Structures are given as C-alpha cells and as structure tokens.
Amino acid sequence: MTCLSCSDLHVSFKLDRCTAKAVRGVSFDIDDKSTLGIVGESGCGKTMTALSLMRLIPDPPGKIEKGSILFEGKDLLKLPEREIRNIRGGRISMVFQDPMSSLNPVYTCGFQIIETINQHLSIPRKQAEELGEKVLSEVGIPDPSRTMTSYPHQLSGGMRQRVMIAMALVCSPRLLIADEPTTALDVTVQAKILDLLHHLRETKSMSMVLITHNLGIVGDIADNVMVMYAGEVMEFTSCKELFENPLHPYTRNLLQTIPQLEVKKERLKVIPGEVPTLQNIPSGCPFHPRCDQASERCRNEHPGLTLSSPDHHVRCFLYDKQA
Ligand SMILES: Nc1ncnc2c1ncn2[C@@H]1O[C@H](COP(=O)(O)OP(=O)(O)OP(=O)(O)O)[C@@H](O)[C@H]1O
Ligand SMILES: [Mg+2]
C-alpha cells in the first residue's frame, strides 16, 4: 500500500528581485514500510521537499505554489493548520538536519520528549515518562533515566542525535523523515547512527525518507532512490537498479564520488562545475553545463522524466525513445 503520494510539488522563495524556484514539479510515492532515499548535492531542494511533506516551509519567504501530498486519504497541502499540527510529530515526524537547533537548550531531554508525547497521545504523566525511557533505550541510549534529566548540552553529538531520533519515534509515526541525520557527526558515530536507522527500518513498521548527499549511505538502507538536481527529479528507481544500472550522467557522477576502500590511493573524484544558483538555472537540462555527454538539444530543450524500463525513471535525452 502507498503511505504517501507527492505529486507535482512546486516550492518557491521570494528573493529581493525575483522568485526562485527551489522545487520544480517533484512527484514520488512512498510505499508502506519502505525507505526512500533522496540524494543530490547541496542546494538541490532535498530539505525543501521534505519540509513540504510536513508543511514547514518558512512562509514568507517560501511558498508551496502547487502540488498535492496525499497521506491517509487527505491532501496535506489542503488541511487546516490545526489538523496538520496533529499530523506533525505524530503520524509524520522528522529528524532535522541540525540537531542543536531543534533541541531546546533550556529544557531537559525528558521534558521535551514528554511534551511531544502530550501533544499527540493522552496518557498519564507516569506512562509518558516510561514511554520516553523505553524509546531512548530503543535508540541505543545506555542510561535512559539519566538522559531524561539531562540538558542537550550535557550529551555528546551522537547521543543528541539519538535523542532527536527518539523524539521523532515516540508517537510511532507512519512516516519518519531523516534529513542528513549523520552529517554533523564524526565517522564512527555516523556509522552507529546509520546502524540504528537500519535496525529501525527492520524492526518498526514505518516508512522512511532518508535524505543525504552521499549515495553510499542510501545503498545500505533505502529501497528506492530519488536523485535530485536543481529542484527536479533526475532519476528515480530501486536502490538495487540505481547501483547496477545508473542512467543519468549526474547519477553516474555521484556514484564516482563515493569513497571506496579499495581505491584509497586514488584521489576522490569530484563533479566538475557547480550546482547552479536558483536565480540562474541553465536553460534546457539544468545539468548540461556540467555534463560531458551534453548535446545541442540538452542546451535548448528541457527533458521530461521518462520511463526507461519498468520502475526506472530518468530525465535525460540520452534515453528519450521519441528522439
Ligand atoms: N529561506 C530561504 N530563502 C531563500 N532561498 C532559500 C531559503 N531556504 C532555502 N532556499 C533555497 O532553496 C534551495 C533548496 O534548498 P534545500 O535546503 O532544499 O537544499 P538541500 O538539497 O537540502 O541542500 P543541503 O544538502 O545543503 O541541505 C537552495 O538553493 C536554497 O538557496
Ligand atoms: Mg538540506
């Protein structure tokens, strides 16, 4: 069954002199109990897509211009604010990119966890405390009762991230969105948090969206992968297919940037050129200035997202059967 269906999502930002389009016609489905990886370089619209699912785009300057997000029979973009507040943190929850800015430094972790529980479940305080401790232990916190009484600054970065994940899980969401859950952490802690997400994926019956700029990370966890560039979906397919048969030149470039132990003597590849700013997205295919297979057509015409094989979508003229 489909858990969430996003279709033709457009998000824009009002800047001084123009309107910049951060998300341009993004569509995807997430099945129940499956994990979608959203991958792409910085600034390509991953966070804005995720924030739209919770209707958390800062408005102004941001605005969801168009689209629909169907979840449990309702279009989230049409719900009154009161109803979306009930869904946020309850049926859909999110682990934000920056854990320090989303935990409040002046309250204990326990206070913040219980506050989240109280917003969504009407259970007595004692039971809420027990639930909080249970979830903290589920995310691998060794001393949950002590952590309940700790302030965020008293915890290490890895433990803070676990608290964030616990807060997101405490009301048993149907969909968990994790936005770059490991970027602020050192490599060994990163690996532990990824193990935790992997474990949650196996043990909880929820769907997940995992956002990262590192394709290597989604390889272990995601079922499907959506590759984004300049606010658009460039490729969408199963994780297995993406690694075995990557089609878009951008995806192939991203795959070459994954560090591999066997080739550690080689310098890591980088994708030449830069992600375009929203004010000057190139005409035609937005990736054409950085693409070594670009033709005249790519400079002038905007490619649509086409089906190259069942369940493998790609936005590139190289696979355009009509051409
Ligand atoms: N408050 C804002 N005002 C103007 N533009 C914004 C604002 N927030 C985001 N944007 C623009 O929206 C675009 C998409 O941003 P988004 O945060 O979704 O990128 P991202 O893919 O999550 O990148 P990262 O990997 O760096 O987190 C960016 O180009 C950014 O400049
Ligand atoms: Mg982001």
Side-chain angles (χ1 to χ4, degrees):
M1 251 194 27
T2 307
C3 166
L4 180 140
S5 179
C6 170
S7 113
D8 201 26
L9 179 70
H10 289 255
V11 179
S12 65
F13 278 92
K14 241 191 171 47
L15 303 175
D16 284 347
R17 287 193 209 142
C18 60
T19 307
K21 293 181 175 158
V23 177
R24 304 185 295 150
V26 166
S27 303
F28 58 89
D29 283 352
I30 306 168
D31 285 337
D32 268 328
K33 297 182 198 170
S34 88
T35 299
L36 170 69
I38 305 185
V39 192
E41 289 164 289
S42 193
C44 65
K46 306 182 295 294
T47 297
M48 292 307 133
T49 302
L51 289 177
S52 304
L53 304 184
M54 305 247 288
R55 281 244 311 264
L56 282 176
I57 298 286
D59 179 2
K63 188 166 183 241
I64 298 177
E65 298 276 358
K66 192 174 153 191
S68 71
I69 297 171
L70 299 180
F71 179 76
E72 301 191 331
K74 291 172 182 160
D75 183 349
L76 300 183
L77 299 185
K78 295 207 176 98
L79 286 188
E81 186 56 34
R82 188 176 43 82
E83 274 188 60
I84 193 84
R85 238 181 281 140
N86 285 337
I87 290 179
R88 241 180 246 150
R91 302 299 288 150
I92 305 181
S93 65
M94 185 157 170
V95 179
F96 293 92
Q97 204 160 353
D98 172 9
M100 251 344 240
S101 68
S102 24
L103 279 174
N104 192 327
V106 304
Y107 296 112
T108 61
C109 296
F111 180 90
Q112 297 182 62
I113 292 173
I114 288 170
E115 197 179 44
T116 309
I117 297 173
N118 286 342
Q119 270 169 15
H120 299 281
L121 310 170
S122 34
I123 55 174
R125 184 170 171 98
K126 184 88 187 77
Q127 223 177 311
E129 276 171 16
E130 282 165 12
L131 177 61
E133 288 188 19
K134 178 171 160 269
V135 180
L136 285 176
S137 92
E138 271 177 16
V139 299
I141 286 190
D143 189 349
S145 56
R146 189 154 142 226
T147 305
M148 288 290 274
T149 59
S150 304
Y151 289 88
H153 71 266
Q154 295 173 311
L155 304 175
S156 68
M159 285 300 146
R160 270 199 298 266
Q161 192 59 304
R162 285 177 198 267
V163 171
M164 290 294 304
I165 295 172
M167 273 173 77
L169 288 174
V170 78
C171 298
S172 307
R174 184 161 172 203
L175 175 66
L176 173 76
I177 305 169
D179 189 359
E180 306 267 10
T182 60
T183 26
L185 306 169
D186 70 53
V187 182
T188 47
V189 184
Q190 263 187 21
K192 287 183 186 152
I193 297 289
L194 289 173
D195 269 355
L196 167 63
L197 290 176
H198 202 268
H199 173 72
L200 293 174
R201 191 210 119 97
E202 301 294 312
T203 53
K204 301 253 170 199
S205 59
M206 63 179 181
S207 306
M208 256 199 313
V209 173
L210 176 65
I211 299 179
T212 169
H213 52 255
N214 184 348
L215 253 177
I217 287 179
V218 297
D220 288 335
I221 300 180
D223 297 291
N224 291 317
V225 184
M226 175 163 101
V227 179
M228 288 187 73
Y229 188 76
E232 291 189 308
V233 179
M234 298 312 239
E235 188 158 0
F236 189 116
T237 187
S238 71
C239 200
K240 186 168 179 286
E241 167 81 1
L242 193 90
F243 278 87
E244 283 172 6
N245 186 25
L247 296 181
H248 202 288
Y250 179 56
T251 311
R252 293 186 182 180
N253 275 280
L254 280 180
L255 283 167
Q256 286 174 353
T257 62
I258 301 177
Q260 283 176 349
L261 291 175
E262 311 88 73
V263 291
K264 60 178 177 251
K265 287 203 186 102
E266 258 180 53
R267 283 189 62 185
L268 208 57
K269 290 215 170 62
V270 293
I271 307 179
E274 307 223 351
V275 181
T277 61
L278 296 183
Q279 292 94 308
N280 41 41
I281 294 174
S283 63
C285 171
F287 188 61
H288 87 254
R290 302 171 74 191
C291 181
D292 55 11
Q293 285 166 281
S295 65
E296 194 53 31
R297 188 174 182 208
C298 309
R299 284 181 265 281
N300 301 319
E301 250 181 80
H302 183 234
L305 195 63
T306 55
L307 206 55
S308 94
S309 61
D311 298 325
H312 196 153
H313 296 78
V314 61
R315 186 187 296 282
C316 179
F317 288 129
L318 290 173
Y319 311 96
D320 184 0
K321 296 189 180 104
Q322 267 102 55

